[in-house]
Amino acid sequence: MMNVQMQTINQKMAVEYLKFFYPSIRSEITQLSKQNNFAGVIQATINYLKDLLLESKINIIGHHIKLMEFIYKKGNPYVKDMIENLFIRSFESFKKHTKVQYWNDLYNYMPVKFQEIYVEQQKKDEIFFGK
């Protein structure tokens, strides 16, 4: 049996996945990618998830977090950095803008790796900023 390995995902491939995963913001993702604004693409996905959060669509947000994990796992170092520094960091904002129960549910949907990164970010913020 052949061992087929998937190619590492760079920012252009990540954009293609995100256009597929987020059809309702596909045009925005396309426009930002034409400008080589990968950070903007990630921010657009965050904004979309925040809108879902306002509608209390926790299950859908959890699904999208798992889709982002797929990109993260296969991503090159740049893609991983952007997901860590924008997407995962945005979880703190999610926490502040939702009910405790919704946050707990959302946290439980997070892949373990994202939980670890999030907790580490919180520890560093506490050390550096006294939060």
Side-chain angles (χ1 to χ4, degrees):
M1 188 179 216
M2 288 180 38
N3 184 10
V4 179
Q5 282 199 336
M6 191 173 150
Q7 183 177 0
T8 301
I9 297 175
N10 62 26
Q11 69 189 61
K12 290 182 191 252
M13 291 172 63
V15 164
E16 294 306 313
Y17 280 113
L18 292 170
K19 286 194 294 191
F20 179 76
F21 294 159
Y22 295 86
S24 60
I25 59 170
R26 184 175 293 141
S27 62
E28 183 178 1
I29 291 170
T30 300
Q31 184 60 37
L32 291 164
S33 69
K34 285 180 183 176
Q35 300 167 0
N36 279 334
N37 187 353
F38 188 63
V41 169
I42 298 296
Q43 187 61 52
T45 65
I46 293 164
N47 294 344
Y48 174 74
L49 295 181
K50 282 183 180 179
D51 290 343
L52 292 176
L53 185 65
L54 294 174
E55 299 171 22
S56 302
K57 295 184 176 178
I58 305 303
N59 293 342
I60 297 170
I61 296 168
H63 175 72
H64 282 290
I65 290 172
K66 290 189 188 304
L67 293 172
M68 191 64 78
E69 177 197 26
F70 166 79
I71 294 172
Y72 180 83
K73 280 183 172 179
K74 301 293 183 180
N76 67 18
Y78 178 76
V79 169
K80 286 182 177 188
D81 282 348
M82 294 305 277
I83 291 171
E84 288 177 10
N85 292 319
L86 293 173
F87 190 78
I88 297 173
R89 185 148 302 269
S90 74
F91 294 163
E92 183 62 15
S93 175
F94 288 15
K95 183 179 180 181
K96 288 179 183 176
H97 292 98
T98 194
K99 297 176 185 175
V100 172
Q101 181 58 46
Y102 288 160
W103 168 250
N104 290 336
D105 291 344
L106 192 57
Y107 188 81
N108 287 326
Y109 279 118
M110 283 183 213
V112 172
K113 182 65 176 174
F114 282 13
Q115 289 177 354
E116 291 169 352
I117 294 166
Y118 173 76
V119 168
E120 188 63 29
Q121 288 173 345
Q122 297 308 300
K123 287 178 185 175
K124 287 180 181 176
D125 285 355
E126 193 172 310
I127 291 167
F128 294 128
F129 304 115
K131 287 185 175 181

